[in-house]
Amino acid sequence: MLVIHSKYFETLFNSSFKVENLYGVVSFDDVEPELMGHLLDYFYRGTTEWNAPKADLELHVQLWILADRLEALTVMLTIEKRMLAALYFQQDKTLAIDLIDMVFAHPNCAKSALGYIISEAAWVLYVDKKRPDAVARVTSAMFSHHCLAIMMVWWSARYAKSNAKPGMPALSISSTDVRSRLIRNYFTKTSRDPVKTQPEPEART
């Protein structure tokens, strides 16, 4: 099951020169046992529900980073889908603030679908003047994470202020769910998915 879900383990166990192969033991001293336990549960769960609690978004970011390290693409995709759903509604987007540092401190995570999900939530909060505390925290994060600022500019090109709800953003493109469609373009591609090349968001001058 490890080989099926992880390219890292596939490479490891296909090598005849690895110490891990000789003794049948793989050690990850820098990984919390609970975190690895959730990942292994995903590998071995079969058709049962994954035991990683959906409400624990910080745990999901940590699991994505671990899955990226082990090249467990289906795990990364599952987490991205969960995060997209968790931050869908306006009232839930404040949850993204506590995830900004974790996501944007990791280069691969920042440029992944998680980066787009978190930066979209940050942009929505940034233009919502009814939440001054959230605006202040997002503004501070923009100065700390250049990539976040660039991605928020990317989102700003796709958002416009709604006259119906002053201060609240509305997608400028006519569609039932443009946000989700845009983010899905950056979902992790598994071996069964066609590979698509997406342009990087660039700051406007």
Side-chain angles (χ1 to χ4, degrees):
M1 296 303 292
L2 295 178
V3 171
I4 292 174
H5 288 284
S6 167
K7 290 185 178 181
Y8 171 89
F9 285 116
E10 179 182 7
T11 301
L12 180 69
F13 293 132
N14 284 338
S15 172
S16 59
F17 299 100
K18 293 289 185 179
V19 174
E20 291 88 346
N21 274 349
L22 297 177
Y23 295 98
V25 176
V26 182
S27 178
F28 294 95
D29 296 333
D30 59 335
V31 178
E32 291 292 333
E34 180 184 2
L35 202 62
M36 184 61 76
H38 283 302
L39 193 67
L40 292 176
D41 176 72
Y42 184 96
F43 292 166
Y44 289 98
R45 77 191 194 288
T47 58
T48 61
E49 179 72 11
W50 188 20
N51 68 8
K54 292 182 179 180
D56 193 339
L57 301 186
E58 182 176 335
L59 172 66
H60 278 70
V61 175
Q62 293 174 328
L63 284 167
W64 190 99
I65 293 172
L66 177 59
D68 176 60
R69 172 180 172 181
L70 300 180
E71 299 179 85
L73 304 182
T74 56
V75 178
M76 295 162 67
L77 178 59
T78 297
I79 292 169
E80 291 160 5
K81 289 179 177 179
R82 283 188 170 192
M83 192 71 72
L84 180 65
L87 299 179
Y88 181 86
F89 294 106
Q90 183 79 23
Q91 64 269 23
D92 296 327
K93 294 188 186 294
T94 53
L95 299 173
I97 296 177
D98 291 331
L99 306 175
I100 289 175
D101 286 339
M102 188 182 303
V103 169
F104 286 93
H106 189 279
N108 288 350
C109 195
K111 295 179 180 179
S112 74
L114 292 191
Y116 283 89
I117 293 167
I118 298 301
S119 61
E120 187 273 342
W123 171 251
V124 170
L125 295 171
Y126 181 73
V127 298
D128 185 359
K129 304 308 179 185
K130 295 180 180 179
R131 303 184 185 186
D133 291 342
V135 172
R137 293 183 65 186
V138 170
T139 301
S140 176
M142 289 169 61
F143 284 104
S144 299
H145 302 287
H146 180 64
C147 184
L148 170 65
I150 291 176
M151 294 176 84
M152 287 176 63
V153 171
W154 186 86
W155 278 110
S156 74
R158 288 148 180 84
Y159 272 84
K161 289 184 178 180
S162 171
N163 292 327
K165 296 181 179 180
M168 301 296 285
L171 279 168
S172 58
I173 308 171
S174 177
S175 177
T176 55
D177 197 359
V178 176
R179 165 192 175 266
S180 295
R181 180 173 60 80
L182 288 171
I183 291 172
R184 287 190 187 103
N185 288 332
Y186 298 91
F187 274 173
T188 295
K189 303 299 184 291
T190 66
S191 58
R192 291 170 293 181
D193 296 327
V195 176
K196 297 180 181 178
T197 302
Q198 297 295 333
E200 291 292 327
E202 297 181 357
R204 293 178 296 177
T205 57

